[in-house]
């Protein structure tokens, strides 16, 4: 069967409503009688909560309730949100509370919840809640957190270590002992916030007739939220419905289940009115999870030909004040480091450390950009010291295509072996270098220098794990109208989930995506699911939808075959009809659906089993590994120390592409985020853990004028791990960019022999390096 | 991030404005709103009264009056941007205004609002300092003219009394042949400048520098006129070799420190921006004089 | 007195409403007139998601009070399509060139670009980038928005000469 919609650059089903301003984000939902919540948040990074005086707040007009931990306690089975991914390496459990009651451990932690008639009145009342605190010492720097005698992030803890583990394989010490060359470097990587354009928010309502609580939430994981909410409230899962309406971006932090979601649900039960909470941007800086600092010590051992013998080191990771998700970020960082290369021995000792700051959970990339940065910086260092071209040293070490499937020596958090399934990494790098003009760049560089300009080229490769399993349920059904209904626990946040699934399903069932109605992110419409994160929905939901569609196609053809008295092999589905190939006979899907709706006492056509639907949970435990190579070109203004990225060449391989246009959009958007991480984005905190950058003038997201020209190329190494041969691509763009830009900046300033060992590298910091280098000469 | 409660007033004459300023406690004037509204939304200010200037007649105008450019305080930045008069007689303003925020903010933002808000890196503030402008304010005791050098008295604090309202800005014009330059360093297009430099240069017929004005923005709570450069250049023959050395004087200035930039980085930028502004002004002045 | 009566014309339709004086124009449009196409992304005038046209000029509706819109005309994204439902060339171009992903920044982009193309019917790529430099997008990386805008400009110029 030839592909009809799979692989096509179809237009999106999502667009008409979004373009007309008719979409429905959570704050667009209006329910008559709804009340508005606002949260009183801790102004201190660490303090004992001595007392909470609600009197003044309750006296304000329109205020319906001021709720504290005491008030909501009896509505929840547990004061803490037990949502963390399981892991044996935790040395202490630190689950978030819904509302803090005796101690608060980060600026922004929710302490009380005001519910009022309007958001304006709720905010007025927030300022009127009088809380008295005993301020305690706060830990801001994760290095300080582990120093002997350090203050404790949580008063009842004996130390600030929250988890410790080692990612390793092979005898790395032996490798280093026998190595001709060992190079060592320290890195400081700071990622920042996700900052989806839409902040978080939720709206809860309770229907006493159905005994069901519905929560609309701007979340990436509605089905998980439904389960967690049911657990927290001590209710049957079926009595909770969580729906993601239109979601204005997620990028990671919206996959977390939050205290506000539980709080708003409880408020609706207490007040018997719908309750809505919409986060504002300033709040988002301190209430929504983020990534922050990692401090790395790393060494690479090589032989005389520049072949890697081993990599080892340590990582200190800022975990924030609580475990809001798990150890994904440090685990991902440690696991991703060696993926693209043949690294025979490896050891990374990781410590995740508590600080009195917002909890850290994955932001697009989930730790992998950091691991990749370290590997790529080490290779550049080795290249410089061994006097080997940066591209050549990589070529010598990239996992070659003939080695696929290539088993890495370790496993994922779930104990699943890490095996690179497909991809031609050397060819990918070669294509990127060719496209970027790597070989002839030194000429251009010389010419620029003659004009007093400093330009440079940098290279970085990445391999990322995508398609996190174990499954994502999808159902496909022919409705009585003849339309094709698809339901899945997958959640859309802008990555065109509906169009993607419609293309996969339509490919089997008539080739017209407008005939496919996709419901995502509704726990009432599908029983089991995980949601959108880790570049998984095309792989997981797509695979389930594909298998279900194939089954439904079979069924449709069987029924049609019976009704048309034709062999199934002579039939095809075209648009809304099943057609007989080469003849002018057809029957519509609507008629087929009707034929299967028999009256009581009558037999089904052809005695076929009832229903034209299929529900699938395609299980794929192994992750599928996508890869790419990026070349960044920069110009450095040595007077101002400003770095301008003038060009990015990005060649990537995500297996077969469902819709190349959508893939390009994803990659370009992620590249923009990567540029932000390389040069602009910094979530600043003071030494006493007070957030310093809490608005968009201080925390910098790049705009259209900072974006360089992007040249994107796709390669396709289909994966054998799923029936469609596809890999995830949502995070790809961000992976190699900070490394490629750091490499390019060093190249531009090569006479100075600088080393860029920190990102973001802002003009302020680069100027200091330039001064130092100038002083050195 | 919703504004706190306040009472709202819509005067229609400047006299009504003054009367409200005198009689209402804890009030704020609302001009373009591009600075005040964010502060209200963040509740950094909690006024009991907002006096909206947008319906007051006669505060928006651009006039060339002899040797001065007179701009009404409520003149939208957008109108300044597209003014032919300003482009022909005071082109440094036309060049600089493109750096002020974005189209959407210039459509509402006013020159008076920018001056009274007095952000250290506001371009219009720097330009007024550059020109030794005079601002006119009206209060219960009548009109008061304030030399721009006396206008900033502290961090985001002007010399205006609580019962005074800015009405006009008078900018002395330089001869048509003058050279000008405005440069700034910002992380992104439209951001507040981390450091900016504006320069005006007047040459005599032998290309000798007669007069120089150079102002730095973003380095202190008020723009800095770099007098050392101004006096040092007078009498010298304009040429591209002059500017780098002259700009070095900026390496010794006092400069602010914040999340974006250290004081030493700001000094580095000041030298670079001053050099570039002087270069642009010099090139234009020489080109103009060769035309006359 | 913390309420006022205002009359506004929004997308060609006249409204007479009582508003709280501190209600922002954005909240008035969204929650009082139920025109939820205009979005709030930051409420401090940086992200541009709330951009609407006031008497034809792009403004940040989070930085205006609803009372200030009295006797003015507002155009929001909901008014861009024709009365027959046909998409504005910009909207169509955005669809054709994948100029949106989550769609949250899109209404602000569209209103900003409507004013821009009216004043600059034949812009360069750099002109377009500068025009939208006051509108943040976290999804697209801006490239497809720029491509869509240049294509829309071309179509609109052709329509004018047709």
């Amino acid at each position: 069967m030839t592909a009809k919609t799979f692989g096509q650059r179809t237009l999106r089903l999502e667009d008409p409503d979004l373009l007309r301003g008719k979409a429905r984000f959570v704050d667009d939902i209006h329910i008559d009688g709804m009340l508005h919540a606002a949260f009183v948040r801790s102004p201190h990074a660490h303090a004992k909560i001595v007392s909470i005086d609600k009197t003044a707040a309750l006296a304000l007009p329109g205020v319906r309730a001021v709720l504290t931990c005491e008030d909501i306690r009896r509505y929840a089975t547990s004061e803490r949100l037990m949502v963390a991914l399981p892991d044996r390496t935790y040395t202490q459990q630190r689950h978030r509370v819904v509302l803090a009651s005796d101690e608060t451990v980060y600026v922004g932690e929710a302490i009380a919840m005001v519910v009022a008639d309007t958001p304006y009145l709720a905010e007025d009342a927030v300022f009127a809640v009088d809380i008295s605190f005993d301020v305690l010492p706060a830990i801001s720097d994760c290095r300080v957190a582990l120093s002997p005698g350090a203050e404790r992030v949580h008063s009842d803890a004996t130390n600030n270590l929250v988890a410790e583990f080692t990612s390793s394989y092979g005898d790395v010490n032996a490798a280093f002992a026998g190595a001709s060359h060992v190079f060592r470097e320290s890195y400081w990587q700071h990622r920042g916030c996700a900052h989806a354009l839409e902040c978080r928010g939720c709206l809860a309502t309770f229907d006493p007739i159905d005994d069901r609580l519905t929560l609309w939430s701007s979340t990436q994981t509605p089905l998980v939220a439904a389960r967690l909410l049911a657990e927290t409230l001590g209710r049957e899962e079926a009595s909770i419905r969580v729906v993601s309406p239109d979601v204005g971006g997620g990028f990671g932090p919206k996959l977390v289940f939050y205290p506000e979601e539980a709080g708003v649900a409880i408020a609706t039960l207490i007040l018997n009115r719908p309750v809505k909470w919409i986060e504002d941007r300033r709040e988002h800086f301190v209430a929504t999870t983020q990534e922050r600092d990692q401090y790395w010590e790393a060494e690479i051992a090589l032989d005389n030909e520049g072949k890697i013998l081993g990599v080892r080191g340590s990582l200190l990771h800022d975990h924030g004040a609580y475990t809001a998700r798990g150890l994904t970020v440090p685990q991902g960082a440690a696991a991703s480091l060696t993926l693209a290369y043949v690294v025979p021995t490896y050891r990374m000792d990781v410590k995740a450390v508590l600080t009195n700051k917002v909890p850290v959970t994955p932001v697009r990339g989930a730790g992998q950009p950091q691991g990749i940065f370290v590997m790529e910086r080490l290779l550049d260092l080795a290249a410089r010291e061994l006097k080997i071209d940066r591209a050549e040293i990589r070529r010598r070490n990239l996992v070659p295509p003939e080695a696929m499937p290539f088993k890495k020596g370790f496993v994922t958090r779930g104990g699943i072996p890490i095996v690179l399934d497909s991809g031609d990494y050397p060819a990918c790098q070669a294509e990127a270098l060719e496209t970027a003009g790597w070989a002839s760049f030194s000429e251009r560089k010389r010419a620029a220098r003659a004009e007093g300009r400093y330009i440079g080229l940098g290279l970085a490769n990445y391999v990322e794990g995508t398609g996190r399993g174990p499954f994502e349920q999808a159902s496909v059904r022919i409705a009585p109208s003849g339309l094709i209904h698809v339901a899945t626990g997958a959640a859309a946040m802008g990555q065109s989930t509906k169009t993607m699934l419609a293309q996969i399903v339509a490919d089997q069932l008539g080739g017209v995506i407008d005939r496919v109605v996709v419901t995502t992110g509704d726990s009432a419409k599908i029983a089991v699911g995980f949601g959108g994160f880790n570049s998984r929905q095309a792989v997981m939901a797509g695979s389930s939808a594909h298998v279900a569609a194939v089954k439904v196609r079979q069924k449709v053809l069987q029924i049609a075959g019976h009704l048309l008295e034709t062999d199934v092999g002579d039939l095809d589905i075209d648009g809304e009809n099943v057609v007989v190939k080469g003849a002018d006979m057809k029957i519509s899907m609507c008629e087929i659906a009707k034929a299967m709706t028999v009256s009581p006492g009558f037999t089904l056509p052809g005695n076929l089993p009832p229903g034209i639907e299929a529900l699938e949970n395609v299980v794929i435990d192994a992750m599928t590994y996508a890869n790419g190579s990026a070349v960044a070109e920069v110009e450095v203004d040595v007077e101002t120390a400003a770095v301008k990225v003038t060009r990015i060449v990005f060649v990537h391989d995500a297996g077969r592409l469902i819709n190349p246009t959508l893939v390009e959009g994803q990659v370009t958007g992620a590249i923009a985020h990567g540029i932000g991480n390389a040069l602009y984005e910094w979530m600043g905190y003071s030494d006493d853990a007070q957030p310093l950058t809490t608005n968009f003038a201080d925390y910098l997201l790049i705009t259209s004028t900072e974006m360089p020209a992007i040249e994107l190329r796709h390669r396709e190494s289909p994966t054998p791990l799923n029936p469609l041969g596809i890999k995830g691509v949502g995070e790809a763009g961000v992976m190699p960019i900070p490394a490629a830009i750091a490499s390019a900046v060093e190249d531009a300033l090569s006479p100075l022999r600088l080393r860029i060992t920190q990102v973001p590298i802002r003009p302020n910091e680069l100027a200091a390096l330039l001064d130092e280098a100038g002083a050195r000469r | 991030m919703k504004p706190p409660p306040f009472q709202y007033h819509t005067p229609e004459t400047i006299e009504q404005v003054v009367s409200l300023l005198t009689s209402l406690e804890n009030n704020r004037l609302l001009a373009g709103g591009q600075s005040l509204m964010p502060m209200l939304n963040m509740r950094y200010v909690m006024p009991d009264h907002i006096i909206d200037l947008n319906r007051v007649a006669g505060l928006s105008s651009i006039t060339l009056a002899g040797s001065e450019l007179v701009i009404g305080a409520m003149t939208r930045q957008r109108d300044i941007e597209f003014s032919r008069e300003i482009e022909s007689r005071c082109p440094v303003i036309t060049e600089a205004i493109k750096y002020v925020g974005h189209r959407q903010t210039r459509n509402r933002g006013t020159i008076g609002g920018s001056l009274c808000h007095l952000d250290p890196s506001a371009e219009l503030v720097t330009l007024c300092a550059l020109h030794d402008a005079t601002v006119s304010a009206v209060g219960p005791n009548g009109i008061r003219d304030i030399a721009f050098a006396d206008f900033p008295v502290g961090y985001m604090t002007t010399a205006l009394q609580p019962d005074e309202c800015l009405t006009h800005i008078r900018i002395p014009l330089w001869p048509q042949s003058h050279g000008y330059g405005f440069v700034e360093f910002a992380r992104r297009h439209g951001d507040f400048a981390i450091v900016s430099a504006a320069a005006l240069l007047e040459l005599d017929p032998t290309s000798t520098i007669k007069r120089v004005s150079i102002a730095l923005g973003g380095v202190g709570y008020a723009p800095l006129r770099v007098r050392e450069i101004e006096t040092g250049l007078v009498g010298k023959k304009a040429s591209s070799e002059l500017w780098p050395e002259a700009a070095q004087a900026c390496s010794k200035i006092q400069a602010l420190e914040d999340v974006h930039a250290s004081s030493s980085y700001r000094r580095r930028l000041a030298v670079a921006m001053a050099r570039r502004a002087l270069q642009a002004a010099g090139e234009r002045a020489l080109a103009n004089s060769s035309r006359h | 007195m913390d309420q006022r009566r205002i009359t506004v014309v929004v997308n060609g339709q006249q409204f007479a409403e009582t508003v709280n004086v501190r209600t922002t124009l954005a909240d008035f449009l969204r929650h009082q007139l139920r025109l939820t196409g205009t979005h709030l992304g930051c409420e401090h005038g940086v992200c541009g998601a709330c951009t609407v046209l006031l008497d034809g000029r792009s403004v940040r509706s989070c930085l205006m009070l609803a009372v200030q819109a009295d006797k003015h005309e507002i155009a929001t994204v909901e008014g861009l399509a024709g009365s027959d439902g046909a998409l504005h060339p910009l909207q169509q171009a955005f669809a054709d060139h994948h100029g949106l992903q989550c769609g949250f920044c899109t209404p602000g982009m569209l209103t900003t670009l409507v004013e821009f193309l009216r004043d600059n019917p034949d812009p360069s790529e750099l002109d377009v980038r500068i025009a939208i430099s006051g509108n943040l997008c976290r999804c697209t990386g801006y490239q497809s928005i720029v491509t869509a805008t240049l294509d829309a400009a071309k179509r609109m110029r052709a329509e004018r000469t047709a």
Side-chain angles (χ1 to χ4, degrees), chain A residues 663-706:
Chain A
V663 169
E664 285 156 11
Q666 285 291 298
V667 175
T668 307
I671 289 174
H673 193 153
I675 294 172
N677 290 141
L679 300 170
Y680 293 89
E681 295 189 37
W682 179 63
M683 180 59 215
Y685 278 83
S686 70
D687 287 340
D688 53 353
Q690 284 288 332
L692 298 172
T693 55
T694 56
N695 58 61
F696 276 160
D698 292 333
Y699 185 96
L700 304 179
L701 299 179
I702 69 163
T703 75
S704 51
T705 45
E706 290 75 56

Side-chain angles (χ1 to χ4, degrees), chain A residues 704-716:
Chain A
S704 51
T705 45
E706 290 75 56
M707 258 314 255
I710 311 279
E711 286 158 65
L712 221 73
R713 301 278 169 93
H714 308 296
R715 299 181 61 89
E716 289 193 8

Side-chain angles (χ1 to χ4, degrees), chain A residues 120 123-124 127 280 282 637-640 642 679-680 696-698 700-701 705-706 762-764 767 771, chain B residues 1-5 41-44 185 187-189 191 259-262 265 268-269 271-273 275-276:
Chain A
Y120 287 66
E123 199 171 318
D124 292 344
F127 283 87
D280 63 50
R282 187 177 45 174
D637 179 333
V638 293
E639 266 193 304
T640 62
L679 300 170
Y680 293 89
F696 276 160
D698 292 333
L700 304 179
L701 299 179
T705 45
E706 290 75 56
R762 297 170 303 161
N764 206 38
D771 285 342
Chain B
M1 288 169 74
K2 307 299 181 192
N41 289 346
M42 297 205 208
R43 301 197 180 204
Y44 287 160
F185 182 77
R187 294 301 318 277
R188 302 171 303 180
H189 185 90
D191 281 352
V259 292
H260 295 290
S262 64
Y265 179 59
R268 180 201 191 95
L269 286 178
V271 172
M273 294 300 114
R275 182 188 65 70
R276 296 177 190 186

Side-chain angles (χ1 to χ4, degrees), chain B residues 95-169:
Chain B
E95 180 163 78
I97 199 113
K98 294 181 182 40
Y99 293 94
V100 177
H102 299 98
R103 167 68 51 230
Q104 299 99 328
T105 63
R106 295 198 294 276
N107 280 344
R108 289 293 294 172
T110 64
I111 182 168
S114 179
L115 296 185
C116 293
H117 186 66
L118 211 64
D119 186 287
S121 43
E123 292 86 351
L124 288 170
V125 174
T126 304
L127 292 175
C128 284
L130 179 74
H131 284 89
D132 290 313
T134 306
V135 298
S136 287
V138 163
N141 302 320
I143 300 173
R144 185 163 75 100
D145 284 341
I146 308 169
F148 202 78
D150 302 326
F151 187 64
V153 300
Y155 179 69
M156 297 176 76
T157 312
T158 73
L160 291 177
Q161 294 300 311
D163 51 10
E164 286 181 313
C165 177
L166 202 70
T167 56
H168 294 90
I169 298 96

Side-chain angles (χ1 to χ4, degrees), chain B residues 14 19 36 46 60 66 69 73 99 112 116 126 128 143 173 188 207 255 261 269 280 285 287:
Chain B
I14 191 68
S19 165
L36 181 62
M46 309 274 280
S60 175
L69 169 68
Y99 293 94
C116 293
T126 304
C128 284
I143 300 173
L173 295 171
R188 302 171 303 180
S207 296
L269 286 178

Side-chain angles (χ1 to χ4, degrees), chain A residues 11-12 14-16 18-23 25 27-28 30 32 34 118 120-121 124 193-199 247-249 251 276 280-282 285 364 493-496 661-666 668-670 672-673 681 694-697 699 701-705 707-710, chain C residues 20 22-24 27-28 30-31 34-44 46-47 49 77-82 85-87 90-92 94-107 110 126 128-144 146:
Chain A
L11 298 191
R12 294 200 327 163
E14 292 87 343
D15 285 352
L18 291 170
L19 287 166
R20 292 175 191 276
K22 295 279 183 243
F25 297 89
D27 192 28
D28 302 341
H30 173 89
D32 280 344
M34 73 183 175
T118 74
Y120 287 66
L121 295 173
D124 292 344
C193 315
H195 281 308
L197 248 289
E198 184 204 20
C199 293
V247 172
F251 307 112
K276 180 195 259 194
D280 63 50
R281 185 61 58 180
R282 187 177 45 174
F285 280 94
R364 198 172 199 173
M493 57 190 107
Q495 77 282 48
S496 317
T661 303
L662 302 185
V663 169
E664 285 156 11
Q666 285 291 298
T668 307
H673 193 153
E681 295 189 37
T694 56
N695 58 61
F696 276 160
Y699 185 96
L701 299 179
I702 69 163
T703 75
S704 51
T705 45
M707 258 314 255
I710 311 279
Chain C
N20 285 329
R22 62 167 167 158
T23 301
T24 61
D27 282 333
F28 167 71
R30 287 178 50 70
H31 298 297
R34 303 279 171 87
L35 293 167
T36 55
T38 302
H39 299 142
L40 287 174
C42 77
E43 294 181 291
H44 52 281
V46 180
C47 79
V77 64
E78 288 96 336
L80 286 189
L87 290 177
L90 259 173
Q91 289 169 313
Q92 187 61 57
F94 267 55
D96 293 340
H97 294 279
H98 193 35
L100 65 156
Q101 292 181 26
C102 82
F104 200 76
C105 76
T106 308
L110 290 171
L126 181 60
V128 175
R129 285 187 183 274
I130 291 174
I132 60 171
S133 62
N135 295 73
L136 295 178
C137 173
R138 197 47 151 169
C139 291
T140 65
Y142 307 102
Q143 184 57 57
S144 56
V146 173

